[in-house]
Amino acid sequence: MADEIAALTARLTAERRGAPPFVTPGERRMDRQIANPVSGPLNPFAPPIGLDVTSDGVVRGEFTLGAVYEGPPSYVHGGVSAMVLDQALGMAAAATGTPGMTATLETRYRRPTPLGVPLKVEAKASRVEGRKVYASGTISAPDGRVTVEATAMFIMPQRFVTSEY
């Protein structure tokens, strides 16, 4: 058994990438965010959520969060709610044609978000001012009541520089 594990480890190590895949070798622009902590298919922490953007720029998703996302007993951790909203709001900002990075994110927790039930997230950009995009969104429980709402401002960098860190 140990020899088989060693052989499999060697095969997997030979195929391992040093970095995520890029569009063109040597280029630092990613083809897609495969390790994104919210929507990355290769990230084991990513919640089971699919986010879709409508033709009018509204981002919607339905998901159910299990015990691994628990904060207070039987409820979603507030940081997970903020993470989901940040992703949806950022996608709404990008849908305007002015993608950017989160500059501000304000969350308001209206009531506890329950675990183990279908939740809905929705986000939309409200305005664009040059390189800034403002967006708002909510997470709702099955009864339609909002559990968390957020507003954010995203700023499109003048030029994108890949971090050395």
Side-chain angles (χ1 to χ4, degrees):
M1 186 69 89
D3 290 341
E4 286 184 44
I5 291 172
L8 287 172
T9 300
R11 282 180 47 207
L12 290 171
T13 301
E15 297 295 322
R16 180 181 295 162
R17 299 174 193 221
F22 296 100
V23 175
T24 307
E27 203 175 302
R28 297 298 297 176
R29 186 171 57 90
M30 288 183 62
D31 184 23
R32 57 194 178 279
Q33 296 176 320
I34 60 173
N36 182 294
V38 178
S39 61
L42 296 184
N43 191 319
F45 182 73
I49 182 173
L51 296 170
D52 297 309
V53 183
T54 66
S55 59
D56 59 347
V58 177
V59 176
R60 289 189 180 99
E62 294 187 22
F63 56 104
T64 301
L65 297 175
V68 71
Y69 304 102
E70 186 175 47
S74 77
Y75 294 106
V76 176
H77 188 285
V80 174
S81 298
M83 179 179 73
V84 168
L85 279 163
D86 184 42
Q87 181 71 26
L89 293 165
M91 289 175 67
T96 68
T98 308
M101 294 183 277
T102 309
T104 65
L105 176 65
E106 181 179 333
T107 54
R108 289 167 299 287
Y109 299 91
R110 298 297 183 199
R111 58 189 43 84
T113 303
L115 288 171
V117 299
L119 302 169
K120 292 182 181 180
V121 63
E122 185 170 300
K124 182 158 179 54
S126 56
R127 71 183 192 277
V128 178
E129 296 176 358
R131 296 185 300 122
K132 296 177 183 177
V133 180
Y134 297 86
S136 61
T138 60
I139 293 177
S140 301
D143 62 6
R145 295 190 327 166
V146 171
T147 62
V148 186
E149 58 188 22
T151 56
M153 178 181 60
F154 296 86
I155 300 178
M156 183 172 72
Q158 290 181 328
R159 65 186 183 105
F160 185 80
V161 179
T162 304
S163 173
E164 292 296 320
Y165 302 107

